[in-house]
Amino acid sequence: MTGVTAEKHDSFITPAGGGKVVMEFSGKELVRGEPDASSFPSGGLRATFEARGYTAWDPTSFAFIKEGSLCIPTIFCSYSGHALDKKTPLLRSMEAVSREAVRILRLFGDTETRHVIPQVGPEQEYFLLDKKMYQKREDLIMTGRTLFGAKPPRGQELEDHYFGAIRPRVAAFMADLDNELWKLGVLSKTKHNEAAPAQHEMAPIYTDCNSACDQNQITMELMKKVADRHGLACLLHEKPFAGVNGSGKHDNWSLGTDSGSNLFRPGSTPRQNARFLLFLTAFIKGVDEYQDMLRATVATPGNDHRLGALEAPPAVVSIFLGEELSGVVDSIINDTEYKSAGKRTLQIGVDALPPIPMDNTDRNRTSPMAFTGNKFEFRMLGSSLSVSGPNIVLNTMMAEELRQFADRLEGAENFDRALAELIRQELSAHRRIIFDGNGYDESWLAEAKLRGLENLPTTADALPAYIRQKNIDLFTGHGIYSREEVYARYNIHVENYTATIEIEARTMIDMLRKEILPATSRYGTMLCDGLAKRKALGLSCHYEEDNARNNCLLSDALSDACGKLERDLRRVPESPEEAMLFCRNVIVPDMQECRSFADQLETITSRDAWPIPVYSDLLFSEG
Ligand code: ADP
Ligand code: MG
């Protein structure tokens, strides 16, 4: 439940009597294991005295061989039967959405389909740094992000990195990574440079939701290992560098039948495709009703630096449908005839090349949930997040809406009329969640408020969604989580927030006390010595005077800010919820204060006197 992969290794060794052993492995061991579960977070699900946990083979995800070990993907539950992992609820949610989607398909006369499977393709962003530089930064090692660093003279202003030529060392890393991933059955396909210097992206070919989640975990692990072999460090943190683009993960999601047809693919014209419209309507209703829960699943301290920071979607959930599909929706709501603009083509100005038909969905990089032709792209995920959580919510909310629709339509006398009525009603009721404009625009937040959409800017605002009654009802109603299992997840996320901020704060203090303050003090003393000597010789000393004064003022301010952070850290309340709020309201601003003085000092300190690599050293170190 921490979001990272757990592994336990067993050797194939069994005593055979007479001091001998045989190397054997029984089917029983494959199917079930009994590891100690006492040291995993359980969110209060079990006391340590009942520490036994069970693993059970998940045969729907491929077993694979990694570094000479046969790896068996398993679910993990407690002695009392509570799920202690993300895989169990994910599998349950896949079952739920399949069951309800098949009910709907039957209504459309489909008697063949037995399963509907959520399909997922997660795009993974990351940074690569030179390992030697990385190792000189305690903050990167301890927290995965820089806690200090003035803006470099060059960031991403030239907009030359996105899709730019890939440097040889990075290309070698990418080729090696592909190779390792392919060996494990992960079909890594697309890779390119991202917006920020040293930032890149990898996208695999989509697959069933369960495998996609497992494969993304493997991908994150391998990115770090392979980077290490190339003398690089891979950063998966959401915001490794302030003032530079952060890293996200786009969760591309759709529903496919067991015979391979995509339920989110419109027909020859979207208007004609009633089935498509029904699934679309269910999705729109689901996102509107569970916007808070979707927001909560992507809430982490790392992601707080991204959402709404003009580089990632805002912390308000909305859906982008594109001009054409929104036109269809509005014509249904208003009962007017829809006039398609026809298949438009994009002229690209080179006569020798054929015109490219324009997608019926235009691109909108600012939307949290964008329809991209035959799938939805949930863009709020942070780069280090396990994709299971968001997919559990997408699957379950869809199961719930399809259940309601099936209940209603199964009893209808005239299916076509009931269907048309249902779609019109529900689209009207949930039209507010559709927004095709610029999500980065300030005015959107005001408008979203008028529409009654929720704005949950920080993790502390978002996490309580887990334990809202309607969301508990959603999960318990479909057998995804019990009430206790929901609370366990909530507790773990709340505690993780505080723990993360405290680690960052302690790392910051450590670096200030042991590296930055001593260095600025030495540098200040050197400036003062120089100043005294020059004065004695009657030389002019404007530079030395200014510099020494600024150094003193800023060092004092930094020392005071550090003292305040230390004092406040000792005041973090006991109760987990209060601790989370205290961290957000007091510790995070304290850290910002420390950082702002330290960053100003960096800009007025000579390069050789500054104790840690600066942003330009880090961001341009991979090549
Ligand atoms: P984009 O539209 O974001 O530029 P792609 O079309 O290449 O990119 O898809 C991005 C990711 O979405 C890839 O991992 C791809 O495999 C996945 N994807 C494509 N189609 C689907 C689908 N129907 N369902 C789920 N994921 C999909
Ligand atoms: Mg994308």
Side-chain angles (χ1 to χ4, degrees), residues 245 303 306-315 365-366 379-380 439-440:
N245 249 46
N303 221 13
R306 275 178 77 241
L307 295 181
L310 301 193
E311 55 164 65
R365 286 173 55 89
T366 67
R379 300 214 182 99
M380 291 170 96
Y440 291 0

Side-chain angles (χ1 to χ4, degrees), residues 81 112 217 242 292 307 355 365 456 460 480 513 580 596:
E112 307 274 286
Q217 296 294 117
D292 56 337
L307 295 181
R365 286 173 55 89
L456 304 168
I480 312 302
R513 291 271 176 238
M580 172 171 72
S596 87

Side-chain angles (χ1 to χ4, degrees), residues 384-400:
S384 67
L385 194 72
S386 153
V387 293
S388 301
N391 284 303
I392 290 168
V393 177
L394 288 170
N395 297 342
T396 310
M397 71 167 209
M398 200 61 188
E400 170 58 18

Side-chain angles (χ1 to χ4, degrees), residues 254-522:
S254 67
L255 290 176
T257 66
D258 44 18
S259 58
S261 87
N262 179 349
L263 300 173
F264 283 103
R265 184 185 295 284
S268 48
T269 72
R271 185 70 180 85
Q272 292 166 344
N273 200 325
R275 187 185 75 180
F276 164 73
L277 282 175
L278 180 140
F279 279 92
L280 181 72
T281 304
F283 188 85
I284 290 168
K285 179 170 182 303
V287 172
D288 189 25
E289 288 176 348
Y290 299 104
Q291 47 180 289
D292 56 337
M293 197 55 230
L294 285 164
R295 167 67 184 92
T297 59
V298 299
T300 60
N303 221 13
D304 280 3
H305 300 286
R306 275 178 77 241
L307 295 181
L310 301 193
E311 55 164 65
V316 178
V317 177
S318 66
I319 298 178
F320 169 86
L321 288 184
E323 204 185 316
E324 190 157 343
L325 207 48
S326 290
V328 172
V329 165
D330 287 334
S331 78
I332 295 173
I333 294 175
N334 305 321
D335 207 7
T336 52
E337 198 187 337
Y338 175 67
K339 291 197 192 62
S340 168
K343 270 259 170 283
R344 278 172 299 171
T345 52
L346 258 187
Q347 299 296 342
I348 53 171
V350 182
D351 288 337
L353 292 172
I356 303 168
M358 191 167 147
D359 284 0
N360 66 6
T361 54
D362 1 317
R363 291 276 154 168
N364 175 325
R365 286 173 55 89
T366 67
S367 175
M369 187 74 83
F371 183 68
T372 48
N374 58 12
K375 60 181 170 12
F376 279 94
E377 189 170 336
F378 187 20
R379 300 214 182 99
M380 291 170 96
L381 287 71
S383 47
S384 67
L385 194 72
S386 153
V387 293
S388 301
N391 284 303
I392 290 168
V393 177
L394 288 170
N395 297 342
T396 310
M397 71 167 209
M398 200 61 188
E400 170 58 18
E401 306 307 347
L402 293 175
R403 180 193 67 76
Q404 291 180 21
F405 287 8
D407 283 354
R408 206 167 137 181
L409 295 172
E410 277 169 357
E413 272 172 30
N414 180 329
F415 175 71
D416 286 343
R417 203 176 314 134
L419 177 67
E421 182 55 24
L422 178 143
I423 290 177
R424 199 178 58 76
Q425 256 179 19
E426 298 298 354
L427 287 179
S428 310
H430 301 286
R431 175 68 178 83
R432 65 172 189 168
I433 197 78
I434 301 170
F435 174 64
D436 286 343
N438 181 1
Y440 291 0
D441 207 290
E442 283 285 333
S443 64
W444 164 233
L445 291 185
E447 167 156 2
K449 196 169 174 193
L450 286 178
R451 293 188 185 192
L453 301 180
E454 289 202 67
N455 184 3
L456 304 168
T458 70
T459 298
D461 302 303
L463 288 181
Y466 272 90
I467 52 170
R468 281 192 190 162
Q469 193 56 46
K470 74 170 176 76
N471 296 332
I472 294 181
D473 290 345
L474 172 73
F475 292 121
T476 54
H478 288 272
I480 312 302
Y481 295 122
S482 65
R483 192 183 165 80
E484 295 74 40
E485 287 172 341
V486 173
Y487 267 88
R489 268 102 197 136
Y490 168 70
N491 290 336
I492 287 175
H493 291 307
V494 168
E495 282 162 21
N496 174 268
Y497 179 85
T498 303
T500 305
I501 302 295
E502 285 182 338
I503 290 170
E504 289 186 350
R506 287 197 296 266
T507 304
M508 185 167 236
I509 292 166
D510 211 44
M511 290 175 77
L512 285 173
R513 291 271 176 238
K514 294 178 184 155
E515 293 182 296
I516 293 174
L517 284 167
T520 55
S521 171
R522 277 194 301 276

Side-chain angles (χ1 to χ4, degrees), residues 200-262:
H200 311 279
E201 178 180 300
M202 171 281 202
I205 296 175
Y206 70 96
T207 180
D208 72 275
C209 179
N210 182 32
S211 303
C213 293
D214 282 357
Q215 293 186 353
N216 185 249
Q217 296 294 117
I218 294 175
T219 301
M220 290 194 285
E221 181 189 328
L222 270 180
M223 280 179 161
K224 296 199 160 194
K225 281 194 180 149
V226 173
D228 196 62
R229 291 214 287 260
H230 290 258
L232 295 162
C234 172
L235 306 183
L236 294 173
H237 193 281
E238 283 71 25
K239 192 71 180 176
F241 303 97
V244 172
N245 249 46
S247 297
K249 180 143 59 189
H250 294 171
D251 189 69
N252 293 273
W253 181 93
S254 67
L255 290 176
T257 66
D258 44 18
S259 58
S261 87
N262 179 349

Side-chain angles (χ1 to χ4, degrees), residues 34 236 334 457 533 588 602:
E34 265 189 41
L236 294 173
N334 305 321
K533 280 188 193 141
V588 169
E602 182 201 310

